[in-house]
Amino acid sequence: MSSPSPLVSPLSGTLSTLGQEVMKRKLQLLSQLVTKTTSFTKEDIRTEENFDIALDFALYNLDHHSFLDCDPHETDGIYNTLQRRLELNSCLQKRSDLCEGRKRLRRAFENERNEKNDDLVQLVRDPCHRILSLLYWLSGNPVNPAETPSSTLQETPTTTTKKKKVEEDRHAEAPTGQEGKDEWTVSDEIALCDSASELSDWSDDDLGGELVDEGEVAAERAPSGGTGAGPLGSPAVLVEVEEGRPGRGGPAPLAGVRAAAEASERHAIRRHLLLLRGDGLAGAAEAQDTGSSHPSGLGGNVARAAVALADAVGSLRLAPRDGLPPCSTLSAFHASVDRQLSRHSSWCRSLEERSLRGRGGELTMIELAGEIEAQAASVSHLTAAREEVEEATRTATSTCECAALVLTALWRLWRRSSLDVSPRVGEGGFDPARLARDLFTSSSRPYLRMLEEYLNEGRVRDPRGEFFISSASSSAESGQEGAYWRQGHRVRGPAPSFLAAEAESILLSGKALGVLGARGVPGPELRIPLLGNEDRPGPAEPMGSAGEAGQAVAGASGRAGGVEKMAAATEAIVEFRWRFRGEEGPESPNSILCALPDDSEPALGSAADLRAALFGGDRGWRRRRPAQGSAAGSQEELGGEGSSDLCPPEEILDSLVLDPVRTRCAAVEHRLLAALRSRHNLVCQLELLKDVYLHASTAEIGGFLKLAFDLTAREGFVDENAELSEAFREANRRGGREGELLSSMVARLDSRGSRTLAISYEATWPLSLLVDETSIAGYNSVFGAVTKALNAQHHLQKVWRKGRGLRPAAVRVVWCDQKVDFLRRDFAHFANAYRQYLFDQVEGANWRECRAKLEAGETTLEGLRAAHEAFLGECASRCLVEEKGFARCLRLALEFCRVCGEMAEGAAGAEEVRADEWSRRLEALRLDFDEGRSYLLTVLGSKLRLGHGAGSHLAELVSLLRGQNAFYDA
Amino acid sequence: MVAEDHGVGERREDVLDVAFELSQVLDTGLDRETLSILIALCENGVNPEALALVVKELKRESQDFRAQEYVS
């Protein structure tokens, strides 16, 4: 079988025979390869056996290997790394050739694919990258700048054998530590390229490590003064360069070349510095195009990075977006960005000074690359912060909302940045948390000043309406506290997220200060420590300071257990990302929280977990307090220049802002409560309210109730003429001590049930702080039950007073006086028992305990409200037991009184006609009452057995009802 | 058909030329004919890394063999 050209694709058969063809073709090609590489042939009888062995070896290893399939991205990656390394080692021609060769190879395969020749069906995907991968893994030491391609080509087996022999000899002479150094391997390449932090060492290693070793070895082997090619094929120029290195002894024949190279590098650095300042933007495109062949070696990447950095800084310098409301917080943010940019300018100037005057050590291209990389990271973060703020304020419709959104966005950015453990932080070039903290601190200053003023004076000068509370310009006048409390301070818009939890306390404090007067609050005025941290002029350093966070992370991980701790941190990050469904985005300024949706603020607990895993410490992060607890000390420790970046933002904000605010709010509230108790007699007013509603026991209310019961007993009474209110006012006029409170009450019929009384009341300040509409509804519920019992008692007493003898004689035949009296007594006893029960339950509902809390026990207004509501709720739950059942029995009592009244009025005539009807109605009333009372006893007994009531009040009620029943039954 | 084969051959030559230049830049030490064999093997689905390893091994064994012959 004739061997076809290896350049022709073998894929010419039909698909059914394709596999066989491919196998056959592989075998042929491998045979040729074995022959080419080993010189063994099948035809030569001396080498036939070796040929078979070699072929079997090749076949087996190609069929049973463990390498992954060729990945184009990986191939491109290793070539890019190789190109970068060539650039670093000044192998610019090689780098250019390699770059051009890759392009041409790719183009050649693309042309082939575009022609779509059916005869050339490709068996494998992406053969271009396969070939590139093959060449890479077969490559020698391309980084060696002195080695020319021709020197390694076309080696004959003989020279190779000789070289091997010499190589063996050299190995025998060389120290053991040098073994393996003479041959560049792929693993060496990977090890070098994997570590970005060793970038600056590469060139030294290549020139001073491998090459020096080879140079020394070559010098050993070379004949004296010989300048020809060494036995390894190392070119003579390599030996010459190594001999000419400063400090190596001997003459320096290439000193001029080195000086020229250094001058060229300085020139390139200055050119890049011009690009950094934006002065060379016109030449940016040129720099990008020709960078790869720039004599400085690093030119291409550095120039592109410089141009990109200058562009980013230029876009940051652009004017802010129009259309936003005038907002000092937003202005402060832009000023903060400008301040960071001025630091960038200082950094540029410092680099120029180093480049021109050598201050701080002469600047090398590699150092410049590192500086630009770190600065680009900070500018990138700054850009992200600005974009985030602009995105947040896009929907702002008012100045207040705009300020809140800006601060919320910056606060969120700070919290997220504090958890950033991306590699560039670890490299020590940039601290995003520091930058975010600076931005937040500077931008929040105007807002926090307003907060400070508001909590000190009870009002705030806020012409733009930025603060979340709008306040009256003056304090409350005496007697006008209620209106001032309601209208003097209003919530204008949302508060920043970090203040949201304290917003209500702040508003309450502002109102209290307005009512009490700012001078009425003892203790020092509020001073927010965060405001004391005035801006310092930025030193000539990269934005956001350098390296502390990275060192801190490394230090913390080392202290906390080294590798294990970092593993735990990694797990924590994975867990954190999973919990918030975040996806990692390499370009994001926040490597951990990059993909968090804007509305998903990480929970404090989760952030604390993550931080504890990252930086050590327990989950709760024990705050380090200064010994004396002063604000200045706290500021110095937590927010000062030397503060640890490990301190969480929540802790810094707590110590420097929220804790002082809470302390001030608590002092104001304490003073307010004291004034309510002493000056405004809050407890006395509440007690009077209890007497009116729950006991109906004051003299005035008692007089009114009798009138009201008589009025409501009239047939068809609807209170059209507000007779109840007039009666109530009349009763109040006769009253004394409670006149002021009672005058604001209005008696009416309850809308829920006919003939049920209720009292409308809108509590005045300061009672309105505790008593609202819901409370009055609760009071009226109990009041309704009390007045029903009192109403029945009132009418039963009237029946009793009328006495016997008024009844018609015919009725007496059916219903003797004694039976009527018994029924009246039954009703009266029932009403008395219920009334007594209600009175006892109100007293038993821990009024004393409630009063103690109102007088001194509670230190917050919320506590007072809770104590009052607890008392009222307890009263309602105790009094309103089986309310319908009791109401039914009490209605029967009123009906009985009505029948008795009718009998008294009708005694004069026609009694024979109506006697039967009255007798029947009395009998029916008796039966209904017995049934209703039995029902109540059954239900209450069941509840008592099942444990309802949680106390003795139900048992008391049952015993009252049963006792009465047993007495009369007996 | 012959013309098409001729065109394919030309394109193959182009690929080989470029690959050979790259091979020289990377100091692989391959000659043109060996490289054409290796390219053909790659196009037949052989894993490039495994192939590179095989080539290196064959070269190394061959050198050892020749060295022993030279000594003896």
Side-chain angles (χ1 to χ4, degrees):
Chain A
M1 183 175 176
S2 64
S3 164
S5 167
L7 296 180
V8 177
S9 174
L11 309 176
S12 56
T14 62
L15 284 177
S16 59
T17 59
L18 182 62
Q20 293 176 357
E21 287 293 325
V22 169
M23 285 302 299
K24 200 183 298 177
R25 180 71 183 145
K26 265 189 193 175
L27 196 60
Q28 289 174 357
L29 290 169
L30 277 179
S31 300
Q32 293 174 15
L33 181 66
V34 169
T35 303
K36 282 297 298 178
T37 51
T38 63
S39 304
F40 300 148
T41 59
K42 184 79 173 169
E43 290 76 19
D44 189 350
I45 194 167
R46 290 176 301 168
T47 59
E48 182 184 2
E49 186 180 358
N50 286 339
F51 176 83
D52 289 339
I53 292 172
L55 187 59
D56 285 345
F57 167 79
L59 274 171
Y60 182 84
N61 279 284
L62 291 181
D63 288 341
H64 301 86
H65 63 81
S66 58
F67 296 105
L68 297 176
D69 196 13
C70 177
D71 181 2
H73 296 292
E74 190 179 339
T75 307
D76 284 339
I78 58 179
Y79 267 91
N80 290 337
T81 307
L82 179 58
Q83 283 178 201
R84 193 176 175 194
R85 193 158 174 253
L86 286 170
E87 188 178 86
L88 285 172
N89 287 276
S90 303
C91 304
L92 300 181
Q93 188 58 46
K94 273 190 179 180
R95 182 193 178 282
S96 174
D97 292 346
L98 188 62
C99 186
E100 185 63 27
R102 287 172 64 195
K103 286 180 187 169
R104 284 173 55 200
L105 190 65
R106 197 175 299 120
R107 206 178 303 128
F109 275 100
E110 281 175 1
N111 290 338
E112 185 178 303
R113 191 175 53 193
N114 291 337
E115 288 178 9
K116 293 183 179 176
N117 192 331
D118 292 339
D119 294 331
L120 281 174
V121 178
Q122 286 185 346
L123 183 64
V124 293
R125 281 186 310 163
D126 207 356
C128 173
H129 283 95
R130 287 177 173 272
I131 293 170
L132 284 174
S133 176
L134 171 73
L135 294 176
Y136 181 83
W137 296 114
L138 280 172
S139 58
N141 186 0
V143 184
N144 187 347
E147 199 168 330
T148 56
S150 58
S151 65
T152 57
L153 293 176
Q154 308 293 343
E155 288 179 318
T156 62
T158 308
T159 56
T160 307
T161 308
K162 285 179 182 174
K163 187 175 84 174
K164 185 72 181 175
K165 178 74 172 68
V166 174
E167 204 171 37
E168 285 175 355
D169 296 343
R170 183 167 63 86
H171 280 183
E173 294 172 10
T176 53
Q178 299 296 325
E179 286 181 6
K181 277 286 189 179
D182 53 348
E183 187 175 356
W184 180 83
T185 64
V186 173
S187 59
D188 291 337
E189 176 77 26
I190 293 173
L192 282 171
C193 296
D194 277 349
S195 172
S197 61
E198 294 174 3
L199 262 176
S200 59
D201 299 332
W202 284 359
S203 59
D204 293 340
D205 284 347
D206 292 336
L207 290 174
E210 292 177 8
L211 298 187
V212 168
D213 293 339
E214 289 207 8
E216 287 170 352
V217 172
E220 280 181 19
R221 292 188 316 250
S224 59
T227 56
L232 266 179
S234 301
V237 65
L238 173 64
V239 179
E240 205 170 71
V241 167
E242 295 310 318
E243 287 174 346
R245 283 173 68 89
R248 292 278 176 185
L254 295 183
V257 176
R258 175 172 292 276
E262 289 173 355
S264 173
E265 183 175 358
R266 277 197 297 274
H267 172 73
I269 287 173
R270 285 167 195 161
R271 187 178 170 195
H272 295 152
L273 290 177
L274 286 178
L275 290 176
L276 266 182
R277 297 190 61 175
D279 298 339
L281 287 180
E286 183 191 352
Q288 285 180 322
D289 292 341
T290 61
S292 58
S293 59
H294 197 279
S296 66
L298 273 176
N301 287 339
V302 177
R304 276 187 286 275
V307 170
L309 181 57
D311 285 346
V313 171
S315 62
L316 273 173
R317 289 188 197 281
L318 292 178
R321 182 163 54 90
D322 293 334
L324 288 173
C327 174
S328 60
T329 303
L330 195 58
S331 303
F333 169 70
H334 288 303
S336 176
V337 172
D338 289 343
R339 196 157 42 248
Q340 296 290 341
L341 290 178
S342 69
R343 290 186 181 183
H344 170 80
S345 302
S346 303
W347 171 78
C348 287
R349 279 196 299 276
S350 73
L351 288 183
E352 286 170 7
E353 286 187 359
R354 281 185 66 186
S355 169
L356 293 172
R357 301 180 180 88
R359 288 182 184 173
E362 191 171 359
L363 186 66
T364 66
M365 185 62 85
I366 291 179
E367 287 172 346
L368 177 63
E371 292 271 356
I372 288 179
E373 190 178 8
Q375 191 72 359
S378 60
V379 169
S380 161
H381 206 74
L382 199 60
T383 305
R386 178 162 167 167
E387 286 173 356
E388 193 157 337
V389 166
E390 288 189 347
E391 181 63 29
T393 54
R394 195 175 300 279
T395 57
T397 55
S398 65
T399 310
C400 172
E401 191 180 0
C402 181
L405 290 172
V406 168
L407 293 182
T408 300
L410 290 174
W411 167 239
R412 189 187 302 144
L413 183 73
W414 185 14
R415 288 185 63 193
R416 287 158 52 188
S417 300
S418 72
L419 298 172
D420 192 351
V421 288
S422 56
R424 76 166 166 270
V425 177
E427 287 167 13
F430 166 59
D431 180 2
R434 188 118 185 167
L435 177 62
R437 192 182 78 183
D438 288 348
L439 289 177
F440 176 81
T441 306
S442 305
S443 307
S444 64
R445 197 156 282 147
Y447 202 90
L448 293 181
R449 282 208 184 92
M450 283 188 270
L451 174 64
E452 196 178 70
E453 184 185 2
Y454 183 72
L455 287 179
N456 284 332
E457 301 176 14
R459 66 183 76 120
V460 59
R461 283 177 287 277
D462 182 18
R464 292 173 172 171
E466 198 168 343
F467 196 56
F468 74 98
I469 296 171
S470 64
S471 59
S473 57
S474 58
S475 301
E477 295 177 4
S478 179
Q480 301 297 320
E481 290 95 344
Y484 181 86
W485 193 272
R486 283 194 307 274
Q487 299 170 353
H489 298 254
R490 289 178 180 276
V491 175
R492 180 184 283 134
S497 64
F498 62 91
L499 276 180
E502 310 299 328
E504 195 170 339
S505 301
I506 293 169
L507 176 63
L508 174 67
S509 300
K511 288 181 176 183
L513 285 167
V515 170
L516 300 171
R519 304 280 179 195
V521 180
E525 287 192 338
L526 172 65
R527 287 284 172 264
I528 296 177
L530 197 67
L531 287 175
N533 190 10
E534 293 299 335
D535 293 341
R536 287 176 288 274
E541 59 179 8
M543 285 184 288
S545 187
E548 291 179 18
Q551 293 162 9
V553 169
S557 61
R559 286 192 302 273
V563 177
E564 294 81 3
K565 196 64 194 172
M566 289 307 288
T570 307
E571 287 179 8
I573 292 169
V574 171
E575 168 70 16
F576 195 81
R577 282 188 183 132
W578 180 86
R579 194 177 300 176
F580 289 97
R581 307 292 193 275
E583 294 177 3
E584 189 173 5
E587 298 303 324
S588 168
N590 294 289
S591 60
I592 293 179
L593 307 175
C594 52
L596 277 183
D598 289 342
D599 55 350
S600 65
E601 188 98 354
L604 281 175
S606 302
D609 282 340
L610 177 62
R611 185 172 290 108
L614 291 177
F615 305 125
D618 59 3
R619 183 180 178 283
W621 183 271
R622 284 188 292 274
R623 188 185 305 176
R624 294 171 303 147
R625 295 284 187 189
Q628 297 177 347
S630 65
S634 177
Q635 175 191 357
E636 186 177 351
E637 178 162 356
L638 293 169
E641 192 67 29
S643 69
S644 166
D645 287 316
L646 298 181
C647 191
E650 294 85 358
E651 290 294 320
I652 297 176
L653 194 77
D654 266 352
S655 297
L656 301 187
V657 178
L658 296 182
D659 279 351
V661 166
R662 289 189 195 111
T663 306
R664 175 67 179 174
C665 289
V668 172
E669 194 172 8
H670 183 73
R671 181 70 188 89
L672 173 68
L673 292 190
L676 292 179
R677 285 165 177 149
S678 60
R679 197 191 308 168
H680 298 283
N681 297 322
L682 181 69
V683 180
C684 289
Q685 294 197 42
L686 272 178
E687 191 159 20
L688 178 59
L689 208 62
K690 182 202 71 158
D691 289 343
V692 169
Y693 275 102
L694 306 183
H695 286 332
S697 60
T698 62
E700 294 80 4
I701 196 81
F704 157 72
L705 286 177
K706 287 175 184 172
L707 288 173
F709 293 152
D710 289 338
L711 282 173
T712 54
R714 290 194 319 220
E715 195 69 31
F717 177 76
V718 291
D719 197 23
E720 285 181 344
N721 301 319
E723 294 173 78
L724 286 175
S725 297
E726 183 57 35
F728 194 75
R729 277 194 292 273
E730 182 63 27
N732 289 338
R733 272 195 289 274
R734 290 198 297 269
R737 67 180 178 105
E738 302 92 1
E740 188 178 348
L741 175 65
L742 294 176
S743 64
S744 56
M745 294 181 173
V746 177
R748 58 178 171 79
L749 287 177
D750 192 351
S751 57
R752 292 178 303 167
S754 61
R755 313 295 174 90
T756 304
L757 290 173
I759 296 178
S760 299
Y761 173 59
E762 187 175 352
T764 55
W765 196 89
L767 208 55
S768 58
L769 296 178
L770 306 186
V771 178
D772 54 9
E773 288 183 0
T774 311
S775 305
I776 294 297
Y779 275 114
N780 267 321
S781 300
V782 181
F783 181 70
V786 172
T787 53
K788 280 174 189 166
L790 290 174
N791 195 11
Q793 282 182 316
H794 172 71
H795 287 290
L796 286 169
Q797 279 183 358
K798 283 175 72 176
V799 169
W800 178 76
R801 285 195 200 103
K802 286 178 183 175
R804 303 176 185 177
L806 292 178
R807 294 174 201 122
V811 176
R812 285 187 214 141
V813 174
V814 183
W815 267 71
C816 65
D817 288 340
Q818 194 176 9
K819 284 180 70 177
V820 175
D821 277 348
F822 278 166
L823 185 55
R824 189 195 63 79
R825 284 170 190 271
D826 272 358
F827 279 124
H829 198 97
F830 182 85
N832 290 342
Y834 187 48
R835 173 73 186 99
Q836 183 63 39
Y837 170 77
L838 292 176
F839 186 87
D840 292 344
Q841 296 316 310
V842 169
E843 286 301 311
N846 295 326
W847 167 247
R848 285 187 180 180
E849 185 182 338
C850 174
R851 183 181 176 118
K853 287 180 180 174
L854 292 173
E855 283 179 337
E858 292 293 340
T859 57
T860 63
L861 195 58
E862 191 59 35
L864 289 187
R865 279 198 199 103
H868 174 251
E869 286 176 6
F871 164 71
L872 192 58
E874 181 74 10
C875 272
S877 69
R878 284 166 170 252
C879 294
L880 304 179
V881 177
E882 286 302 317
E883 189 187 4
K884 289 182 179 176
F886 281 103
R888 179 188 169 200
C889 291
L890 293 174
R891 272 199 306 274
L892 292 174
L894 292 177
E895 182 66 20
F896 168 77
C897 294
R898 195 173 299 116
V899 170
C900 288
E902 286 178 12
M903 285 193 299
E905 290 170 2
E911 60 269 17
E912 291 83 3
V913 179
R914 303 178 66 183
D916 288 344
E917 182 188 346
W918 286 330
S919 300
R920 194 174 60 253
R921 286 172 66 185
L922 287 171
E923 186 64 22
L925 283 172
R926 189 181 66 82
L927 291 174
D928 282 351
F929 179 64
D930 287 344
E931 184 188 348
R933 192 175 51 190
S934 301
Y935 167 77
L936 279 173
L937 285 171
T938 305
V939 171
L940 294 175
S942 301
K943 285 189 173 180
L944 197 59
R945 282 194 298 277
L946 291 173
H948 286 268
S952 61
H953 65 282
L954 272 186
E956 183 186 343
L957 181 58
V958 169
S959 65
L960 277 172
L961 295 178
R962 276 188 179 153
Q964 171 242 340
N965 199 30
F967 175 76
Y968 285 101
D969 287 349
Chain B
M1 193 67 181
V2 173
E4 281 185 5
D5 284 346
H6 183 67
V8 170
E10 279 186 354
R11 283 189 293 275
R12 292 283 112 182
E13 284 294 332
D14 289 344
V15 169
L16 182 60
D17 287 343
V18 178
F20 186 62
E21 287 177 20
L22 280 173
S23 160
Q24 286 183 307
V25 171
L26 292 171
D27 304 329
T28 59
L30 298 173
D31 59 20
R32 194 178 173 86
E33 191 176 351
T34 307
L35 185 61
S36 73
I37 296 169
L38 294 174
I39 290 174
L41 278 168
C42 279
E43 288 182 331
N44 277 274
V46 174
N47 185 289
E49 284 187 58
L51 185 57
L53 196 67
V54 165
V55 170
K56 283 183 175 178
E57 280 298 309
L58 289 177
K59 274 186 175 178
R60 190 178 61 80
E61 289 296 329
S62 171
Q63 283 173 2
D64 288 348
F65 181 76
R66 298 293 174 198
Q68 285 174 1
E69 271 192 346
Y70 181 78
V71 171
S72 61

